[in-house]
Amino acid sequence: MNFKKAAILLMGVFSFCLVRSQGNQNLSITMKAVTVNFTLDENGKPAYDVSYGNKRVIRPSYMGFVLSDLDPLDAGFVLLGSERNSHDETWDPVWGEVHSIRDHYEQLTVHLKQKSSNRLLDIIFRAFEDGVGFRYYFPKQAALKYFIVTDEETQFSLTGDHKVFWIPGDYDTNEYPYTTSAISGVDNKNMVDNSTAIAVRIAPDRYAVQTPLMMKSADGLYINIHEAALVNYPAMQLHVDRATYKLTSSLVPDAFGNKAYLHAPFATPWRTIIVSDNAADILSSRIILNLNEPNCIGDTSWIKPMKFVGVWWEMQTGKSGWNYSDYPDSTDAAGKLIPNHHHGANTVNVKRYIDFAAANGIPAVLVEGWDKGWEDWFGNWKENVFDFVTPYPDFDVQGLQTYAASKGVQLIMHNETSGSATNYERQMDTAFRFMINHGYHAVKTGYVGRIIPRGEHHDGQWMVNHYQRVAEKAAYYHVMLDAHEPVRPTGLQRTYPNWMACEAARGNEYNAFSKGNAPEHETILPFTRLMGGPMDYTPGIFKLTHYSSDTSRRIHTTLAKQLALYITIYSPVQMVADLPENYESHMDAFQFIRDVPVDWDDTKILAAEPGDYVAIARKQKGSDNWFIGVITDEHKRDMSADLSFLDKGKKYIATVYGDAENADWQQNPEAYTIKKITVDRTSHLLLRLASGGGAAVSIMPIKSAAAR
Amino acid sequence: MNFKKAAILLMGVFSFCLVRSQGNQNLSITMKAVTVNFTLDENGKPAYDVSYGNKRVIRPSYMGFVLSDLDPLDAGFVLLGSERNSHDETWDPVWGEVHSIRDHYEQLTVHLKQKSSNRLLDIIFRAFEDGVGFRYYFPKQAALKYFIVTDEETQFSLTGDHKVFWIPGDYDTNEYPYTTSAISGVDNKNMVDNSTAIAVRIAPDRYAVQTPLMMKSADGLYINIHEAALVNYPAMQLHVDRATYKLTSSLVPDAFGNKAYLHAPFATPWRTIIVSDNAADILSSRIILNLNEPNCIGDTSWIKPMKFVGVWWEMQTGKSGWNYSDYPDSTDAAGKLIPNHHHGANTVNVKRYIDFAAANGIPAVLVEGWDKGWEDWFGNWKENVFDFVTPYPDFDVQGLQTYAASKGVQLIMHNETSGSATNYERQMDTAFRFMINHGYHAVKTGYVGRIIPRGEHHDGQWMVNHYQRVAEKAAYYHVMLDAHEPVRPTGLQRTYPNWMACEAARGNEYNAFSKGNAPEHETILPFTRLMGGPMDYTPGIFKLTHYSSDTSRRIHTTLAKQLALYITIYSPVQMVADLPENYESHMDAFQFIRDVPVDWDDTKILAAEPGDYVAIARKQKGSDNWFIGVITDEHKRDMSADLSFLDKGKKYIATVYGDAENADWQQNPEAYTIKKITVDRTSHLLLRLASGGGAAVSIMPIKSAAAR
């Protein structure tokens, strides 16, 4: 390396020569079909490109930053040196889709120095067999200590006018339906303007989209762009140049338009590009988990993936309400709230859910609306709504704790912040102490409303840090976390395994209070939102029409598809979302929900095409049972599931919960059939999916007489 | 009243008539010389005026609000009714300048309704013998629930181009020197631009000034405008119309330019106008305390006014530092900070201060720089600087707790937030638990730096609420609070008697790190900043030159004036600010500091003229001792103190700590004389004040042989 150092010194002296010689500097790494190549152009501007086999995925794309009160950090660089190394390791997640994960990559680190400012910037690239990750690293240095990022200039220059599955680049929500268009057709304005069912929508750039962004090229490449390990940094959105197909990172700002307040040394989140010529590979990719740090919370023995029922869908559908009184001012002479007798979270009703859970082996019951404040909880940008510890008069905290424990069921806490993170942070220790003192070991948080601190956004740096603080606080108290309306996940569930799931997308609930989710919605989610981590989608609705006083509302699936979602949407916490009484009239179909687990030893993507269909098989953790979920969009479809993943020589009973012959999400959604078939690894299951339909299959080994 | 109601109904029907008839509606209240008069003009715009005897103080001035997303609430009103009542009550403060306070006023409440919107607004006026207070009240009503104030339009139309003592209307600081000019000469731009010693300066309106605003009219009226009971609302500044002498309220905004997020019912702070033809009456006024709510924290037996020394001035002057290492990155191989051996808050040094306090009857020692973070605490808008519980390695928390207790001295905690209120709120419970576990019963807080939440200001609604939350938390833990760099006080020390003092003005410290405070500074403070409440000014500097490595630095007073400040600047917590070694060479003068108390049964303003001189006598609480402080500006001055307030028939020893014959703040500041004289109520003390000088007098009864 001495020669190289001397050469760099020489170049420092003869800088004119240097500028030209840089044109030749390029460095690349390859893992199987994936190659990422780094260059410094004639102006010392760093750039990278990515190819997959002989196909270009990303054309040369610039990288860098604009900083507040400093010169941009995006040109005039020289290469001080570089390192390569190979990595091949296998690790076991605390829970997940597979028992163990291989983390295999080639790494290239380039050390850059901006000549004019002496500022240092490293870029670290990793090539995996299914894609690329790269991050920026600001080393500890005299020339850059504290700094403010006003723009990150990372480009993703695509090779053509790909088909793209997108939602608007909104600073505060990911709850839009997906639009499928060409890149040249991206324009979110109408979608933003018309999505009135979303509480807070702030999307100033009509050509910005969210990640994970899923694309398909004309030449058959599937490309997914997202980020991993979003820590102390705002979420990355992508600004779309519709003419050149160049995407540019667009970070969520604060009140001043600043993006990130940083202090070197600092590593940005990883920017990820997952690529394959097979859509199923996108869903199998573990790049995002691999790019996150290992578990940092120590002991995880207390973390238990689980299904849960909840006092929730009855509020979504209007059978009951979150609020105990009609108005905050509905108080009697003594200042007590006057009940509206429509309050769902009352002790008697909660006991009914506990009984149902206990009777059906469901470990937990979520109760929303138990705490004072719901008369007036949202929409007024009000800072102090909930105190997270004061129940309504008809919710007996102590009595329910005792009753649930006697039934072997646990209660899940609900902490709605209405977007007032400052209030939640003030109360958080008190709230978590309340939980552990009353037997709650999981919490669902919520952030419906404009954020306080006013000027911050759901997806900005401050709130990204907030969600992490909540995860850390929950870990400290041994509480599992399911965050609703947070920033979309980026694989941090590896680092915080108690952070079980997020919402951060358009869930099943939109079928209750809006026109709903199109049948294709759940076929896109795995390729987009779910790339970052588990989603609490709340599947399992059995009563698919006439559940709401607004009879135009309907679930946009068949009943069998609702079952299949337990497989196609991975989450270690899965809600059994419908009302007990709606399950009780279909206990044969409900058997699938009783059986399906939420933690897996293995996962096989049998078939997948974004926007069309998804078929996944998963093997239950610590068991020989397999489960298959297959879903389709609005098109009926026959699919054949190859069962060659089953153990050699073993016979199984496959129970197929499928759409009835005449089922159809619009005309006859609740028609299903249940068939039992003996299968083995040579079998192919033919699954006939209705329009908006699906199929769910449990495959359990036939226990031999000897084994009994 | 029935007739009136009928008339209003009639007016409602014939609204054209109504508008004209309103011109006649006026209502007034009078208390001695003070009259306040309310009118609705022909457009239904509310207005008031104030007179003092036959002199006009405030010409008719409009009132009202601009609201976000709603029509303004400033015109088109009708009078629904009004009420008057008289109030005469005497109450005893927990501590203060006097033993008991009379609250005597006439009150007028006007009930207004805006015809077009049906919104209700009340205005409540109180006339005291020394001024006026008024506030707005938004009643609970259907037509106005949640709302956002974007402007308060309260006017104070003055009668002429008064002389005014002002500092710039800055959103983040009150630490400017005062400018004396005509109203027509107000322009803060140069002052703001040049005040580089102030860390954060944001003053976008060059014609805005802070309150308390002190004025003197050509016809001899002294007028002071401020506010009382600033709760859940931003601080009021005043925009100056230099041509018409009309001042208009200008509230400190948030990131969106919004001023206050409110929910009816809501009462604004009181706007106060104190007026007299005698300047001394301004300093005697108790209007601001009277307009605050009584003590709300319950038991106050644990609240003890006190003097304190501190490891502080040695950092201000460069003898030592707050920081343990030179840089945050100065760590050894094990990651431990490398000491710079210049750290003031080390155990040995703190013990020296404890010893000094114990030897001189000073109850407490403040220690700044004890906790990790000072290498890098300020100026980077960094959110997580201090954790408020982790000491530097050379500060032995437990050992000092034991040592201080053994000496009968208590330690005062220091919590510097560097403006990161979000971080402090997260840690606050932990911080206060740490205090009570380690024997700290008082805390000095600090807010040096730009505020986080970013977009908020020191004096905006969010931070006003923050300071109150800190006071409440401190009260909960039985901790006394001394807040530095908060919003300036508005009499809330009545409601939170543990909120002993604030800085919120330009303290003595500016003599250490800037050109300093002009000799007139302390003669203006009582008429401005101190109107709202006690200030931790940190008087008592004895070494007046050559205390800093920058030899151009100097204290802009004589030594005797430093003593007098203990009387002229009232605070229940008074720092004995200089270093022990500087006192040890002047123990005869230090005797005054040993003797002077911080809590009083009575106060007499002997003479005062803002910008020129202040002379005050105070009677020690529960004692017959009196103390006098007299200060002058840059002009030498002879003052005669009439001692007729002394008890009849009693003889006293007066110890006069005065400027020496040849003393002068510039040439010979440390020259003082101490004389003892026997006095009684017929005596007059002639006090000769040097340029920048003062005199301090203790007057103690001669104990009779019988009493011995």
Side-chain angles (χ1 to χ4, degrees):
Chain A
M1 294 295 279
N2 281 344
F3 169 77
K4 214 173 209 171
K5 273 190 190 159
I8 289 165
L9 283 172
L10 206 63
M11 287 193 289
V13 175
F14 300 103
S15 63
F16 180 71
C17 300
L18 173 75
V19 167
R20 286 204 294 191
S21 74
Q22 283 183 339
N24 299 321
Q25 292 178 348
N26 72 60
L27 292 154
S28 51
I29 43 174
T30 296
M31 174 67 77
K32 297 198 176 164
V34 172
T35 296
V36 57
N37 180 52
F38 173 77
T39 54
L40 269 182
D41 81 358
E42 64 275 16
N43 296 313
K45 286 171 74 74
Y48 74 102
D49 57 81
V50 176
S51 52
Y52 183 79
N54 58 2
K55 291 177 183 165
R56 190 46 81 82
V57 180
I58 304 287
R59 292 183 291 125
S61 297
Y62 286 123
M63 322 175 82
F65 294 92
V66 182
L67 308 181
S68 175
D69 299 328
L70 296 170
D71 287 335
L73 199 58
D74 60 359
F77 285 105
V78 292
L79 183 68
L80 294 185
S82 67
E83 290 129 34
R84 290 156 185 283
N85 51 294
S86 304
H87 184 93
D88 194 356
E89 180 198 23
T90 297
W91 59 279
D92 296 345
V94 175
W95 44 257
E97 297 179 81
V98 291
H99 177 271
S100 64
I101 294 175
R102 185 179 180 192
D103 184 15
H104 184 204
Y105 59 80
E106 291 293 317
Q107 178 168 301
L108 166 69
T109 303
V110 295
H111 302 290
L112 306 175
K113 179 175 176 173
Q114 192 179 43
K115 288 171 298 168
S116 59
S117 68
N118 281 324
R119 287 178 295 181
L120 306 175
L121 177 66
D122 291 354
I123 309 176
I124 304 159
F125 294 93
R126 289 184 184 170
F128 300 84
E129 68 175 286
D130 51 358
V132 169
F134 63 86
R135 81 187 327 170
Y136 302 91
Y137 178 74
F138 300 91
K140 181 173 155 179
Q141 56 189 293
L144 190 67
K145 290 179 172 173
Y146 288 92
F147 58 104
I148 298 172
V149 171
T150 49
D151 272 307
E152 180 188 319
E153 297 179 310
T154 305
Q155 298 177 352
F156 304 85
S157 285
L158 300 165
T159 58
D161 195 9
H162 303 337
K163 180 180 182 181
V164 57
F165 301 85
W166 59 269
I167 54 175
D170 192 302
Y171 298 164
D172 286 278
T173 182
N174 290 267
E175 299 192 0
Y176 291 97
Y178 290 93
T179 301
T180 306
S181 76
I183 292 174
S184 59
V186 168
D187 180 348
N188 67 41
K189 185 169 187 312
N190 285 340
M191 177 58 80
V192 174
D193 289 349
N194 296 330
S195 294
T196 52
I198 302 174
V200 179
R201 313 190 304 289
I202 299 180
D205 176 1
R206 67 194 286 176
Y207 305 117
V209 297
Q210 301 275 19
T211 74
L213 186 70
M214 188 65 212
M215 292 172 286
K216 185 178 183 182
S217 72
D219 58 354
L221 284 187
Y222 296 87
I223 305 166
N224 184 285
I225 299 180
H226 189 38
E227 63 181 318
L230 175 59
V231 172
N232 193 21
Y233 204 79
M236 178 181 74
Q237 305 185 343
L238 296 170
H239 171 80
V240 176
D241 182 327
R242 305 196 302 172
T244 64
Y245 322 134
K246 186 177 74 188
L247 314 181
T248 307
S249 59
S250 172
L251 304 177
V252 175
D254 75 353
F256 293 89
N258 292 330
K259 308 301 167 35
Y261 298 80
L262 301 180
H263 182 196
F266 181 81
T268 69
W270 295 91
R271 279 64 188 92
T272 60
I273 303 156
I274 301 173
V275 57
S276 177
D277 48 16
N278 177 0
D281 291 346
I282 305 295
L283 302 188
S284 307
S285 176
R286 306 287 171 242
I287 283 184
I288 288 171
L289 279 177
N290 279 329
L291 288 172
N292 273 272
E293 296 298 313
N295 166 28
C296 75
I297 67 167
D299 172 38
T300 57
S301 60
W302 51 275
I303 297 174
K304 308 285 185 204
M306 63 183 178
K307 292 173 285 191
F308 62 99
V309 294
V311 182
W312 174 76
W313 187 247
E314 61 179 80
M315 282 93 106
Q316 294 288 359
T317 56
K319 183 189 168 198
S320 71
W322 283 268
N323 46 319
Y324 176 84
S325 287
D326 284 336
Y327 305 104
D329 298 333
S330 299
T331 46
D332 63 17
K336 286 189 175 172
L337 286 169
I338 299 167
N340 60 15
H341 302 296
H342 187 62
H343 179 228
N346 66 75
T347 302
V348 171
N349 195 34
V350 174
K351 284 186 176 174
R352 195 169 67 92
Y353 281 83
I354 293 172
D355 292 343
F356 180 79
N360 292 287
I362 294 171
V365 178
L366 165 72
V367 187
E368 296 202 0
W370 69 277
D371 53 342
K372 276 181 82 169
W374 290 93
E375 287 72 23
D376 196 19
W377 68 285
F378 151 74
N380 294 310
W381 222 0
K382 180 179 168 182
E383 183 156 6
N384 298 318
V385 177
F386 297 102
D387 71 5
F388 311 101
V389 296
T390 305
Y392 278 127
D394 60 348
F395 184 85
D396 176 2
V397 172
Q398 191 63 57
L400 285 167
Q401 177 179 3
T402 306
Y403 188 78
S406 77
K407 296 277 182 169
V409 168
Q410 54 175 290
L411 293 173
I412 297 177
M413 173 51 62
H414 184 231
N415 281 176
E416 173 60 52
T417 69
S418 56
S420 178
T422 48
N423 181 45
Y424 194 42
E425 293 205 346
R426 285 195 286 272
Q427 312 294 338
M428 209 151 60
D429 264 305
T430 304
F432 278 97
R433 280 197 297 264
F434 181 90
M435 290 180 222
I436 57 169
N437 290 338
H438 293 98
Y440 294 79
H441 299 294
V443 61
K444 173 180 173 179
T445 56
Y447 295 88
V448 175
R450 293 188 78 176
I451 293 297
I452 302 177
R454 296 188 183 96
E456 299 292 348
H457 293 288
H458 283 75
D459 291 1
Q461 182 189 26
W462 199 91
M463 284 301 293
V464 163
N465 285 329
H466 168 80
Y467 306 124
Q468 186 181 336
R469 282 193 287 269
V470 175
E472 287 168 350
K473 189 68 78 179
Y476 175 83
Y477 285 100
H478 285 197
V479 171
M480 293 177 278
L481 173 63
D482 172 13
H484 279 233
E485 301 91 20
V487 68
R488 76 282 185 279
T490 59
L492 282 170
Q493 65 272 23
R494 179 178 178 190
T495 312
Y496 299 97
N498 66 311
W499 194 349
M500 312 300 280
C502 294
E503 186 183 46
R506 191 175 182 89
N508 222 358
E509 67 184 13
Y510 274 83
N511 288 307
F513 55 72
S514 79
K515 285 186 300 180
N517 303 340
E520 68 169 10
H521 184 65
E522 296 94 346
T523 72
I524 301 172
L525 277 177
F527 290 93
T528 51
R529 161 66 181 78
L530 300 184
M531 293 300 294
M535 177 177 176
D536 183 13
Y537 186 73
T538 69
I541 302 300
F542 275 20
K543 187 167 175 56
L544 301 168
T545 62
H546 298 89
Y547 48 79
S548 167
S549 56
D550 178 348
T551 56
S552 75
R553 300 280 180 251
R554 57 186 310 134
I555 307 292
H556 294 56
T557 75
T558 64
L559 190 149
K561 183 171 173 180
Q562 287 290 316
L563 297 178
L565 296 178
Y566 284 92
I567 308 297
T568 60
I569 294 178
Y570 171 66
S571 178
V573 288
Q574 285 281 28
M575 191 165 196
V576 179
D578 210 342
L579 311 183
E581 56 267 39
N582 294 337
Y583 289 130
E584 276 157 2
S585 50
H586 298 288
M587 288 309 283
D588 54 351
F590 190 69
Q591 186 61 39
F592 181 81
I593 295 180
R594 295 180 57 141
D595 291 339
V596 69
V598 287
D599 197 10
W600 310 97
D601 269 340
D602 202 3
T603 285
K604 306 282 183 195
I605 310 299
L606 304 179
E609 181 66 25
D612 295 343
Y613 54 85
V614 172
I616 300 178
R618 303 193 198 265
K619 183 163 185 270
Q620 182 170 6
K621 197 156 219 167
S623 156
D624 288 329
N625 295 341
W626 284 81
F627 292 81
I628 297 176
V630 185
I631 61 170
T632 182
D633 60 0
E634 69 279 14
H635 299 295
K636 63 165 73 176
R637 204 178 296 272
D638 289 350
M639 299 194 70
S640 171
D642 174 350
L643 304 187
S644 59
F645 50 78
L646 295 177
D647 284 351
K648 205 181 270 187
K650 246 187 210 150
K651 291 281 182 193
Y652 300 77
I653 295 289
T655 309
V656 180
Y657 302 80
D659 294 320
E661 198 74 30
N662 58 349
D664 177 289
W665 78 268
Q666 286 175 290
Q667 305 305 329
N668 194 16
E670 292 174 17
Y672 58 89
T673 64
I674 303 176
K675 286 183 204 147
K676 289 186 187 283
I677 324 168
T678 302
V679 296
D680 62 23
R681 71 195 305 268
T682 66
S683 307
H684 287 71
L685 282 180
L686 178 67
L687 302 169
R688 314 200 80 129
L689 314 180
S691 164
V697 186
S698 65
I699 304 177
M700 302 187 184
I702 299 173
K703 294 191 177 102
S704 67
R708 285 179 198 164
Chain B
M1 294 293 281
N2 280 344
F3 169 76
K4 213 173 211 172
K5 273 188 189 160
I8 289 165
L9 282 170
L10 205 63
M11 287 192 288
V13 174
F14 300 102
S15 63
F16 182 71
C17 301
L18 173 73
V19 169
R20 288 204 292 192
S21 73
Q22 283 182 339
N24 301 322
Q25 292 177 350
N26 72 61
L27 293 155
S28 51
I29 43 175
T30 296
M31 173 69 78
K32 296 198 175 166
V34 172
T35 296
V36 56
N37 178 54
F38 173 78
T39 54
L40 269 182
D41 80 359
E42 64 274 15
N43 296 313
K45 286 170 76 75
Y48 75 101
D49 57 81
V50 176
S51 51
Y52 183 79
N54 59 1
K55 291 178 182 167
R56 187 49 79 81
V57 179
I58 305 287
R59 292 183 290 126
S61 297
Y62 286 123
M63 323 176 80
F65 295 91
V66 182
L67 307 181
S68 175
D69 299 329
L70 295 170
D71 288 334
L73 198 59
D74 60 1
F77 285 104
V78 292
L79 182 68
L80 294 185
S82 66
E83 291 130 35
R84 288 155 187 282
N85 50 294
S86 304
H87 185 91
D88 193 356
E89 182 197 22
T90 297
W91 59 280
D92 296 345
V94 175
W95 44 257
E97 298 178 81
V98 290
H99 177 272
S100 65
I101 294 175
R102 184 179 181 190
D103 184 15
H104 184 205
Y105 59 80
E106 291 294 316
Q107 177 168 302
L108 166 70
T109 303
V110 296
H111 302 290
L112 305 175
K113 178 176 176 172
Q114 191 180 44
K115 289 172 297 170
S116 58
S117 67
N118 281 323
R119 288 176 296 181
L120 305 175
L121 177 66
D122 291 355
I123 309 176
I124 304 158
F125 294 91
R126 289 186 184 168
F128 300 82
E129 67 176 286
D130 51 358
V132 169
F134 63 87
R135 82 188 324 171
Y136 302 92
Y137 178 75
F138 301 92
K140 181 172 156 180
Q141 55 188 297
L144 190 67
K145 290 179 173 173
Y146 288 92
F147 57 105
I148 298 173
V149 172
T150 49
D151 273 306
E152 180 188 320
E153 297 178 311
T154 304
Q155 299 176 352
F156 304 84
S157 286
L158 299 165
T159 58
D161 194 10
H162 302 338
K163 179 179 181 182
V164 56
F165 301 86
W166 59 271
I167 55 174
D170 192 302
Y171 297 165
D172 286 277
T173 183
N174 290 266
E175 299 192 0
Y176 291 98
Y178 289 94
T179 302
T180 307
S181 75
I183 292 174
S184 59
V186 168
D187 180 348
N188 65 41
K189 185 169 187 312
N190 285 341
M191 178 58 79
V192 173
D193 290 349
N194 297 330
S195 294
T196 51
I198 302 174
V200 179
R201 313 189 306 288
I202 300 180
D205 177 0
R206 67 193 288 174
Y207 306 115
V209 296
Q210 302 276 18
T211 74
L213 187 70
M214 188 65 213
M215 292 172 285
K216 184 179 182 182
S217 72
D219 59 354
L221 283 186
Y222 295 87
I223 304 166
N224 184 285
I225 299 180
H226 189 37
E227 62 182 318
L230 175 60
V231 173
N232 193 21
Y233 204 79
M236 178 179 73
Q237 305 184 343
L238 297 170
H239 171 79
V240 176
D241 184 326
R242 305 195 303 172
T244 64
Y245 323 132
K246 184 177 74 188
L247 313 182
T248 308
S249 59
S250 172
L251 304 177
V252 175
D254 76 353
F256 294 89
N258 293 330
K259 308 301 168 36
Y261 298 80
L262 301 179
H263 183 195
F266 180 82
T268 68
W270 294 91
R271 280 64 187 91
T272 59
I273 303 156
I274 301 173
V275 58
S276 178
D277 48 16
N278 176 1
D281 291 345
I282 305 295
L283 303 188
S284 308
S285 175
R286 305 288 170 239
I287 282 184
I288 288 172
L289 279 176
N290 279 328
L291 289 171
N292 273 272
E293 296 299 313
N295 167 27
C296 74
I297 67 168
D299 172 38
T300 58
S301 60
W302 51 275
I303 297 173
K304 307 285 184 205
M306 62 184 177
K307 290 173 285 189
F308 62 101
V309 294
V311 183
W312 175 77
W313 188 247
E314 61 178 80
M315 285 94 108
Q316 295 288 358
T317 55
K319 183 190 169 196
S320 71
W322 283 269
N323 46 317
Y324 176 83
S325 289
D326 283 336
Y327 305 103
D329 298 334
S330 299
T331 47
D332 63 18
K336 286 190 177 169
L337 287 170
I338 298 168
N340 60 13
H341 302 297
H342 187 63
H343 179 227
N346 66 76
T347 303
V348 172
N349 195 35
V350 174
K351 284 186 176 173
R352 196 170 65 93
Y353 281 82
I354 292 171
D355 292 343
F356 180 79
N360 291 288
I362 294 171
V365 177
L366 165 72
V367 187
E368 296 203 358
W370 69 277
D371 54 340
K372 276 181 81 169
W374 289 94
E375 286 71 24
D376 196 21
W377 68 285
F378 149 73
N380 295 308
W381 222 0
K382 180 177 167 184
E383 183 157 7
N384 299 317
V385 178
F386 297 102
D387 72 3
F388 311 101
V389 296
T390 305
Y392 278 127
D394 60 348
F395 183 86
D396 176 3
V397 172
Q398 190 64 57
L400 285 168
Q401 177 180 3
T402 306
Y403 188 79
S406 77
K407 296 276 182 171
V409 168
Q410 53 175 292
L411 294 174
I412 298 177
M413 173 51 63
H414 183 231
N415 281 176
E416 173 58 53
T417 68
S418 55
S420 179
T422 50
N423 180 46
Y424 194 43
E425 293 205 348
R426 286 194 286 271
Q427 312 294 340
M428 210 150 60
D429 263 305
T430 304
F432 277 97
R433 280 196 296 264
F434 180 90
M435 289 179 224
I436 56 168
N437 289 337
H438 294 98
Y440 294 79
H441 300 294
V443 61
K444 173 180 172 178
T445 56
Y447 295 88
V448 175
R450 293 187 77 175
I451 293 297
I452 304 178
R454 297 188 184 94
E456 300 291 347
H457 294 286
H458 283 75
D459 291 1
Q461 183 189 25
W462 199 90
M463 284 301 293
V464 163
N465 285 329
H466 167 80
Y467 306 123
Q468 186 180 336
R469 283 193 286 268
V470 175
E472 287 168 351
K473 189 68 78 179
Y476 175 82
Y477 286 100
H478 284 198
V479 171
M480 292 176 277
L481 173 63
D482 171 13
H484 279 233
E485 301 91 20
V487 69
R488 76 285 184 279
T490 58
L492 282 169
Q493 64 272 25
R494 179 179 178 187
T495 311
Y496 299 98
N498 65 312
W499 193 349
M500 313 298 281
C502 294
E503 187 183 44
R506 190 175 183 89
N508 222 358
E509 64 184 14
Y510 274 82
N511 288 308
F513 56 72
S514 79
K515 285 186 299 177
N517 302 339
E520 68 169 10
H521 184 64
E522 296 93 345
T523 71
I524 300 173
L525 278 177
F527 290 94
T528 53
R529 160 65 182 79
L530 300 184
M531 294 299 295
M535 176 176 178
D536 182 13
Y537 186 73
T538 70
I541 303 300
F542 275 20
K543 187 168 172 55
L544 301 169
T545 62
H546 298 89
Y547 47 79
S548 167
S549 55
D550 179 348
T551 56
S552 74
R553 300 279 180 251
R554 59 185 310 132
I555 306 292
H556 294 56
T557 73
T558 63
L559 191 150
K561 183 171 173 180
Q562 287 289 317
L563 297 179
L565 296 178
Y566 285 92
I567 307 298
T568 61
I569 295 179
Y570 171 66
S571 177
V573 288
Q574 285 281 28
M575 191 165 195
V576 179
D578 209 341
L579 312 183
E581 57 267 39
N582 294 337
Y583 290 130
E584 277 157 4
S585 50
H586 298 287
M587 290 307 284
D588 54 350
F590 190 69
Q591 185 61 39
F592 180 82
I593 295 181
R594 295 180 59 141
D595 290 338
V596 69
V598 287
D599 198 11
W600 309 98
D601 268 340
D602 202 3
T603 286
K604 307 283 183 195
I605 311 299
L606 304 180
E609 181 66 25
D612 295 342
Y613 56 85
V614 172
I616 301 178
R618 303 193 198 265
K619 183 165 186 269
Q620 181 169 5
K621 197 158 220 168
S623 157
D624 288 329
N625 295 340
W626 284 81
F627 293 81
I628 297 177
V630 185
I631 61 171
T632 181
D633 59 1
E634 69 278 15
H635 298 294
K636 61 166 76 176
R637 204 178 294 272
D638 289 349
M639 299 195 71
S640 171
D642 175 348
L643 304 188
S644 58
F645 49 77
L646 295 177
D647 284 352
K648 206 180 269 186
K650 244 185 213 152
K651 292 280 180 191
Y652 300 76
I653 296 288
T655 309
V656 181
Y657 303 79
D659 295 319
E661 196 76 27
N662 58 350
D664 177 290
W665 77 269
Q666 286 175 288
Q667 305 305 328
N668 193 18
E670 292 174 17
Y672 59 88
T673 63
I674 303 177
K675 287 181 207 150
K676 288 184 188 283
I677 323 166
T678 302
V679 297
D680 62 23
R681 72 193 305 266
T682 66
S683 308
H684 286 71
L685 281 179
L686 178 67
L687 303 168
R688 314 199 80 128
L689 314 180
S691 163
V697 185
S698 65
I699 304 177
M700 302 187 185
I702 298 172
K703 293 189 179 108
S704 67
R708 285 178 196 161

